[in-house]
Amino acid sequence: MAQTVAQPTANTPALPAKLPIGAIVPWAAFFGILMLVLLYFVGAEQGATSVVSGEGVHEWVHDARHLLGFPCH
């Protein structure tokens, strides 16, 4: 029975791919603004700073408020 053995080859070490900073900045800005908007709606969309009238937003994010430690009662 014939057996073949893989011969080692001279491999160059793997280098991590370089990601240009210009590709990261727009996505980081987008997600940063998105997180700030979500934080506003969860933490401050109520009372004097309310953008949306009524209690609709409050009821939608009620449990998230308590989970994140924001008082609402």
Side-chain angles (χ1 to χ4, degrees):
M1 194 182 281
Q3 294 182 351
T4 58
V5 177
Q7 297 297 324
T9 59
N11 290 336
T12 58
L15 299 175
K18 292 185 179 183
L19 195 60
I21 194 75
I24 297 172
V25 170
W27 287 103
F30 170 72
F31 284 113
I33 291 170
L34 181 64
M35 291 298 114
L36 287 174
V37 168
L38 287 174
L39 182 64
Y40 169 76
F41 276 109
V42 170
E45 176 59 25
Q46 180 177 340
T49 62
S50 182
V51 174
V52 181
S53 63
E55 292 289 319
V57 174
H58 174 84
E59 293 303 323
W60 277 94
V61 297
H62 185 86
D63 292 337
R65 285 177 190 261
H66 293 296
L67 181 67
L68 295 173
F70 289 101
C72 64
H73 302 255

Coordinates of all heavy atoms in Angstrom, one line a residue:
M1 N 0.8 -1.2 0.0 CA 0.0 0.0 0.0 C 0.9 1.2 0.0 O 1.8 1.4 0.8 CB -0.9 0.0 1.2 CG -2.0 0.9 1.1 SD -3.0 1.0 2.6 CE -4.0 -0.4 2.4
A2 N 0.6 2.1 -0.9 CA 1.4 3.3 -1.0 C 0.8 4.4 -0.1 O -0.4 4.6 -0.1 CB 1.5 3.8 -2.4
Q3 N 1.7 5.1 0.6 CA 1.2 6.3 1.4 C 2.0 7.5 0.9 O 3.1 7.5 0.6 CB 1.6 6.0 2.9 CG 0.8 4.9 3.5 CD 1.1 4.7 4.9 OE1 2.0 5.3 5.5 NE2 0.3 3.8 5.6
T4 N 1.2 8.6 0.9 CA 1.8 9.9 0.5 C 1.9 10.7 1.7 O 1.0 10.7 2.6 CB 1.0 10.6 -0.6 OG1 -0.3 10.8 -0.1 CG2 0.9 9.7 -1.9
V5 N 3.0 11.4 1.8 CA 3.2 12.3 2.9 C 3.3 13.7 2.4 O 4.0 14.0 1.4 CB 4.5 12.0 3.7 CG1 4.7 12.9 4.8 CG2 4.4 10.5 4.2
A6 N 2.6 14.7 3.0 CA 2.6 16.1 2.6 C 4.0 16.6 2.9 O 4.4 16.5 4.1 CB 1.5 16.9 3.2
Q7 N 4.6 17.2 2.0 CA 5.9 17.8 2.2 C 5.7 19.3 2.8 O 4.9 20.0 2.2 CB 6.7 17.9 0.9 CG 7.1 16.5 0.4 CD 7.9 15.7 1.3 OE1 8.8 16.2 2.0 NE2 7.7 14.4 1.4
P8 N 6.4 19.7 3.8 CA 6.3 21.0 4.3 C 6.8 22.0 3.2 O 7.8 21.8 2.5 CB 7.2 21.1 5.5 CG 8.1 19.9 5.4 CD 7.4 18.9 4.5
T9 N 6.1 23.1 3.1 CA 6.5 24.2 2.2 C 6.9 25.4 3.0 O 6.5 25.6 4.1 CB 5.3 24.5 1.2 OG1 4.2 25.0 2.0 CG2 4.9 23.3 0.4
A10 N 7.6 26.3 2.3 CA 8.1 27.5 3.0 C 6.9 28.5 2.9 O 6.7 29.1 1.9 CB 9.3 28.1 2.3
N11 N 6.2 28.6 4.0 CA 5.1 29.6 4.1 C 5.5 30.9 4.7 O 6.3 30.9 5.6 CB 3.9 29.0 4.9 CG 3.2 27.9 4.3 OD1 3.2 27.8 3.1 ND2 2.6 27.0 5.1
T12 N 5.0 32.0 4.2 CA 5.3 33.2 4.8 C 4.3 33.4 6.0 O 3.2 32.9 5.9 CB 5.1 34.4 3.8 OG1 3.8 34.3 3.3 CG2 6.1 34.3 2.7
P13 N 4.7 34.1 7.0 CA 3.7 34.2 8.1 C 2.5 35.1 7.7 O 2.6 36.0 6.9 CB 4.6 35.0 9.2 CG 5.7 35.5 8.5 CD 5.9 34.7 7.3
A14 N 1.4 34.7 8.3 CA 0.1 35.4 7.9 C 0.2 36.8 8.6 O 0.4 36.9 9.8 CB -1.1 34.6 8.4
L15 N -0.1 37.8 7.9 CA -0.2 39.2 8.4 C -1.7 39.6 8.5 O -2.5 39.3 7.6 CB 0.6 40.1 7.6 CG 2.1 39.9 7.4 CD1 2.7 40.8 6.4 CD2 2.7 40.0 8.8
P16 N -2.1 40.3 9.5 CA -3.5 40.8 9.6 C -3.7 41.8 8.5 O -2.8 42.6 8.2 CB -3.6 41.4 11.0 CG -2.2 41.7 11.4 CD -1.3 40.7 10.7
A17 N -4.9 41.8 8.0 CA -5.3 42.7 7.0 C -5.4 44.1 7.6 O -5.9 44.3 8.7 CB -6.6 42.3 6.3
K18 N -4.9 45.1 6.9 CA -5.0 46.5 7.4 C -6.3 47.1 6.9 O -6.6 47.1 5.7 CB -3.8 47.3 6.9 CG -2.5 46.8 7.5 CD -1.3 47.6 7.1 CE -0.1 47.1 7.8 NZ 1.1 48.0 7.5
L19 N -7.0 47.6 7.8 CA -8.3 48.3 7.5 C -8.0 49.8 7.6 O -7.7 50.3 8.6 CB -9.3 47.9 8.5 CG -10.8 48.1 8.2 CD1 -11.2 47.4 6.9 CD2 -11.7 47.7 9.3
P20 N -8.3 50.5 6.5 CA -8.0 51.9 6.5 C -9.0 52.6 7.5 O -10.2 52.3 7.6 CB -8.3 52.4 5.1 CG -9.0 51.3 4.4 CD -8.7 50.0 5.2
I21 N -8.5 53.6 8.2 CA -9.3 54.3 9.2 C -10.4 55.1 8.5 O -11.5 55.2 9.1 CB -8.4 55.3 10.0 CG1 -9.1 55.8 11.2 CG2 -7.9 56.5 9.1 CD1 -9.2 54.8 12.3
G22 N -10.3 55.4 7.3 CA -11.3 56.1 6.5 C -12.5 55.2 6.3 O -13.7 55.7 6.1
A23 N -12.4 53.9 6.4 CA -13.5 53.0 6.2 C -14.2 52.8 7.5 O -15.4 52.4 7.6 CB -13.0 51.6 5.7
I24 N -13.5 53.0 8.6 CA -14.1 52.8 10.0 C -14.9 54.0 10.5 O -16.0 53.9 11.1 CB -13.0 52.4 11.0 CG1 -12.4 51.1 10.5 CG2 -13.6 52.3 12.4 CD1 -11.2 50.7 11.4
V25 N -14.4 55.2 10.2 CA -15.0 56.4 10.8 C -16.4 56.6 10.4 O -17.2 56.9 11.3 CB -14.1 57.6 10.4 CG1 -14.8 58.9 10.7 CG2 -12.8 57.6 11.0
P26 N -16.9 56.5 9.2 CA -18.3 56.7 8.9 C -19.2 55.7 9.7 O -20.3 56.0 10.2 CB -18.5 56.5 7.4 CG -17.1 56.6 6.9 CD -16.2 56.2 7.9
W27 N -18.8 54.4 9.8 CA -19.6 53.4 10.5 C -19.6 53.7 12.0 O -20.6 53.5 12.7 CB -19.1 52.0 10.2 CG -19.4 51.6 8.8 CD1 -18.6 51.5 7.8 CD2 -20.7 51.2 8.4 NE1 -19.3 51.1 6.7 CE2 -20.6 50.9 7.0 CE3 -21.9 51.0 9.0 CZ2 -21.6 50.4 6.3 CZ3 -23.0 50.6 8.2 CH2 -22.8 50.3 6.9
A28 N -18.5 54.1 12.5 CA -18.4 54.4 14.0 C -19.3 55.6 14.3 O -20.0 55.6 15.3 CB -16.9 54.7 14.3
A29 N -19.3 56.6 13.4 CA -20.1 57.8 13.6 C -21.6 57.4 13.5 O -22.4 57.8 14.4 CB -19.8 58.9 12.6
F30 N -21.9 56.6 12.6 CA -23.3 56.1 12.4 C -23.8 55.4 13.7 O -24.9 55.7 14.2 CB -23.5 55.3 11.2 CG -24.8 54.6 11.1 CD1 -25.9 55.3 10.7 CD2 -24.9 53.2 11.3 CE1 -27.2 54.7 10.6 CE2 -26.1 52.6 11.2 CZ -27.3 53.3 10.9
F31 N -23.0 54.4 14.1 CA -23.5 53.6 15.3 C -23.4 54.5 16.6 O -24.2 54.2 17.5 CB -22.6 52.4 15.4 CG -23.1 51.3 14.4 CD1 -22.2 50.9 13.4 CD2 -24.3 50.7 14.5 CE1 -22.6 50.0 12.5 CE2 -24.7 49.8 13.6 CZ -23.8 49.4 12.6
G32 N -22.5 55.4 16.6 CA -22.4 56.3 17.8 C -23.7 57.1 17.9 O -24.3 57.3 19.0
I33 N -24.1 57.7 16.8 CA -25.3 58.5 16.8 C -26.6 57.7 17.0 O -27.5 58.1 17.8 CB -25.5 59.3 15.4 CG1 -24.4 60.4 15.3 CG2 -26.8 59.9 15.2 CD1 -24.2 61.0 14.0
L34 N -26.6 56.5 16.5 CA -27.7 55.6 16.7 C -27.8 55.2 18.2 O -28.9 55.2 18.8 CB -27.5 54.3 15.9 CG -28.6 53.3 16.0 CD1 -29.9 53.8 15.5 CD2 -28.2 52.0 15.2
M35 N -26.7 54.9 18.8 CA -26.7 54.6 20.3 C -27.1 55.8 21.1 O -27.9 55.6 22.1 CB -25.3 54.2 20.7 CG -24.9 52.8 20.2 SD -26.0 51.5 20.7 CE -26.7 51.0 19.2
L36 N -26.7 57.0 20.7 CA -27.2 58.2 21.5 C -28.7 58.4 21.3 O -29.4 58.8 22.3 CB -26.4 59.5 21.0 CG -25.0 59.5 21.4 CD1 -24.3 60.7 20.8 CD2 -24.9 59.6 22.9
V37 N -29.2 58.2 20.1 CA -30.7 58.3 19.9 C -31.4 57.3 20.8 O -32.4 57.6 21.4 CB -31.0 58.2 18.4 CG1 -32.5 58.0 18.2 CG2 -30.5 59.4 17.7
L38 N -30.9 56.0 20.7 CA -31.6 55.0 21.6 C -31.5 55.3 23.0 O -32.4 55.1 23.8 CB -30.9 53.6 21.3 CG -31.3 53.0 19.9 CD1 -30.4 51.8 19.7 CD2 -32.7 52.7 19.8
L39 N -30.3 55.8 23.5 CA -30.2 56.2 24.9 C -31.1 57.3 25.3 O -31.7 57.3 26.3 CB -28.7 56.6 25.2 CG -28.4 57.0 26.6 CD1 -28.6 55.7 27.5 CD2 -27.0 57.5 26.7
Y40 N -31.4 58.2 24.4 CA -32.3 59.3 24.6 C -33.7 58.7 24.8 O -34.4 59.1 25.8 CB -32.3 60.3 23.5 CG -33.5 61.3 23.6 CD1 -33.5 62.3 24.6 CD2 -34.6 61.2 22.9 CE1 -34.5 63.1 24.8 CE2 -35.7 62.0 23.0 CZ -35.7 63.0 24.0 OH -36.7 63.8 24.1
F41 N -34.1 57.9 23.9 CA -35.5 57.4 23.9 C -35.7 56.5 25.2 O -36.8 56.5 25.8 CB -35.9 56.6 22.7 CG -36.4 57.5 21.6 CD1 -35.6 57.8 20.5 CD2 -37.6 58.2 21.7 CE1 -36.0 58.7 19.5 CE2 -38.0 59.1 20.7 CZ -37.2 59.3 19.6
V42 N -34.7 55.7 25.5 CA -34.8 54.9 26.7 C -34.7 55.7 28.0 O -35.5 55.5 28.9 CB -33.8 53.7 26.7 CG1 -33.7 53.0 28.0 CG2 -34.0 52.8 25.6
G43 N -33.8 56.7 28.0 CA -33.6 57.3 29.3 C -34.3 58.7 29.5 O -34.5 59.1 30.6
A44 N -34.6 59.4 28.4 CA -35.1 60.8 28.7 C -36.4 61.1 27.9 O -36.8 62.2 28.0 CB -34.0 61.7 28.3
E45 N -36.9 60.2 27.1 CA -38.1 60.5 26.4 C -39.3 60.5 27.3 O -40.1 59.6 27.3 CB -38.3 59.6 25.2 CG -39.6 59.7 24.4 CD -39.7 61.1 23.8 OE1 -38.8 61.8 23.5 OE2 -40.9 61.4 23.5
Q46 N -39.4 61.6 28.1 CA -40.5 61.6 29.0 C -40.5 63.0 29.6 O -39.5 63.6 29.9 CB -40.3 60.6 30.1 CG -41.4 60.5 31.2 CD -41.1 59.4 32.2 OE1 -40.3 58.5 31.9 NE2 -41.6 59.5 33.3
G47 N -41.6 63.6 29.9 CA -41.7 64.9 30.6 C -41.4 66.1 29.7 O -41.8 66.2 28.6
A48 N -40.6 67.0 30.2 CA -40.3 68.3 29.6 C -39.5 68.1 28.3 O -39.5 68.9 27.4 CB -39.6 69.2 30.6
T49 N -38.6 67.1 28.2 CA -37.8 66.9 27.1 C -38.4 66.0 26.0 O -37.7 65.6 25.1 CB -36.4 66.3 27.4 OG1 -36.6 65.0 28.0 CG2 -35.7 67.2 28.4
S50 N -39.7 65.7 26.1 CA -40.4 64.8 25.3 C -40.4 65.3 23.8 O -40.9 66.4 23.6 CB -41.8 64.5 25.8 OG -42.4 63.6 24.9
V51 N -40.0 64.5 22.9 CA -40.2 64.8 21.5 C -41.5 64.3 20.9 O -42.1 64.9 20.1 CB -39.0 64.2 20.7 CG1 -39.2 64.4 19.2 CG2 -37.7 64.8 21.1
V52 N -41.9 63.1 21.4 CA -43.2 62.5 21.0 C -44.2 62.7 22.1 O -43.9 62.4 23.3 CB -42.9 61.0 20.7 CG1 -44.2 60.3 20.3 CG2 -41.8 60.8 19.7
S53 N -45.3 63.2 21.8 CA -46.4 63.4 22.8 C -47.0 62.1 23.2 O -47.0 61.2 22.5 CB -47.4 64.4 22.3 OG -48.1 63.8 21.2
G54 N -47.5 62.1 24.5 CA -48.2 60.9 25.0 C -47.2 60.0 25.7 O -46.0 60.3 25.9
E55 N -47.7 58.8 26.0 CA -46.9 57.8 26.8 C -46.5 56.6 25.9 O -46.1 55.6 26.5 CB -47.8 57.3 28.0 CG -48.0 58.4 29.0 CD -46.7 58.7 29.8 OE1 -46.0 57.7 30.1 OE2 -46.5 59.9 30.1
G56 N -46.7 56.7 24.6 CA -46.4 55.5 23.8 C -45.0 55.1 23.8 O -44.7 53.9 24.0
V57 N -44.0 56.0 23.7 CA -42.6 55.6 23.7 C -42.3 55.1 25.1 O -41.5 54.2 25.3 CB -41.7 56.8 23.3 CG1 -40.3 56.5 23.5 CG2 -42.0 57.3 21.9
H58 N -42.8 55.8 26.1 CA -42.5 55.3 27.5 C -42.9 53.9 27.7 O -42.2 53.1 28.3 CB -43.3 56.2 28.5 CG -43.1 55.7 29.9 ND1 -42.1 56.0 30.7 CD2 -44.0 54.9 30.7 CE1 -42.2 55.4 31.9 NE2 -43.4 54.8 31.9
E59 N -44.1 53.5 27.2 CA -44.6 52.1 27.4 C -43.7 51.1 26.6 O -43.5 50.0 27.0 CB -46.0 52.0 27.0 CG -47.0 52.8 27.9 CD -46.8 52.3 29.4 OE1 -46.6 51.1 29.6 OE2 -46.9 53.2 30.2
W60 N -43.2 51.5 25.4 CA -42.4 50.6 24.6 C -41.1 50.4 25.2 O -40.5 49.3 25.1 CB -42.2 51.2 23.2 CG -43.4 51.0 22.3 CD1 -44.4 51.8 22.0 CD2 -43.6 49.8 21.5 NE1 -45.3 51.2 21.1 CE2 -44.8 50.0 20.8 CE3 -42.9 48.6 21.3 CZ2 -45.3 49.0 19.9 CZ3 -43.4 47.7 20.4 CH2 -44.6 47.9 19.8
V61 N -40.5 51.3 25.9 CA -39.2 51.2 26.5 C -39.2 51.0 28.0 O -38.1 51.2 28.6 CB -38.2 52.3 26.0 CG1 -38.0 52.3 24.5 CG2 -38.7 53.7 26.5
H62 N -40.3 50.8 28.5 CA -40.5 50.8 30.0 C -39.5 49.8 30.7 O -38.9 50.1 31.6 CB -41.9 50.4 30.4 CG -42.2 50.5 31.8 ND1 -42.5 51.7 32.5 CD2 -42.2 49.5 32.8 CE1 -42.7 51.4 33.7 NE2 -42.5 50.1 33.9
D63 N -39.5 48.5 30.2 CA -38.7 47.5 30.8 C -37.2 47.8 30.6 O -36.4 47.5 31.5 CB -39.0 46.1 30.3 CG -40.4 45.7 30.7 OD1 -40.9 46.2 31.7 OD2 -41.0 44.8 30.0
A64 N -36.8 48.4 29.5 CA -35.4 48.8 29.2 C -35.0 49.8 30.2 O -33.9 49.9 30.6 CB -35.3 49.2 27.8
R65 N -35.9 50.7 30.5 CA -35.6 51.8 31.5 C -35.1 51.2 32.8 O -34.1 51.5 33.4 CB -36.8 52.7 31.8 CG -37.0 53.7 30.7 CD -38.3 54.4 31.1 NE -38.8 55.2 30.0 CZ -38.5 56.5 29.8 NH1 -37.9 57.1 30.7 NH2 -39.0 57.1 28.8
H66 N -35.9 50.2 33.3 CA -35.6 49.6 34.6 C -34.4 48.8 34.5 O -33.6 48.7 35.4 CB -36.8 48.7 35.1 CG -38.0 49.6 35.4 ND1 -38.0 50.5 36.5 CD2 -39.2 49.6 34.9 CE1 -39.2 51.0 36.6 NE2 -40.0 50.6 35.6
L67 N -34.2 48.0 33.4 CA -33.0 47.2 33.2 C -31.7 48.0 33.3 O -30.7 47.6 33.8 CB -33.1 46.4 31.9 CG -32.0 45.5 31.6 CD1 -32.0 44.3 32.6 CD2 -32.1 45.0 30.2
L68 N -31.8 49.2 32.7 CA -30.6 50.1 32.6 C -30.5 51.0 33.8 O -29.6 51.8 33.9 CB -30.6 50.9 31.3 CG -30.5 50.1 30.1 CD1 -30.7 51.0 28.9 CD2 -29.2 49.4 30.0
G69 N -31.5 51.0 34.7 CA -31.4 51.7 36.0 C -32.0 53.1 35.9 O -31.7 54.0 36.8
F70 N -32.8 53.4 34.9 CA -33.4 54.7 34.8 C -34.7 54.7 35.6 O -35.5 53.8 35.3 CB -33.7 55.1 33.3 CG -32.5 55.4 32.5 CD1 -32.0 54.5 31.6 CD2 -31.9 56.7 32.6 CE1 -30.9 54.8 30.9 CE2 -30.8 57.0 31.8 CZ -30.3 56.0 31.0
P71 N -34.9 55.6 36.5 CA -36.2 55.7 37.2 C -37.3 56.3 36.3 O -37.0 57.1 35.4 CB -35.9 56.6 38.3 CG -34.9 57.5 37.9 CD -34.0 56.7 37.0
C72 N -38.5 55.7 36.4 CA -39.6 56.3 35.6 C -40.9 56.4 36.3 O -41.9 56.7 35.7 CB -39.7 55.5 34.2 SG -40.2 53.8 34.4
H73 N -40.9 56.0 37.6 CA -42.2 56.1 38.3 C -41.9 57.0 39.5 O -40.9 57.0 40.1 CB -42.6 54.8 39.0 CG -42.8 53.7 38.0 ND1 -44.0 53.2 37.6 CD2 -41.9 52.9 37.3 CE1 -43.9 52.3 36.7 NE2 -42.6 52.1 36.5

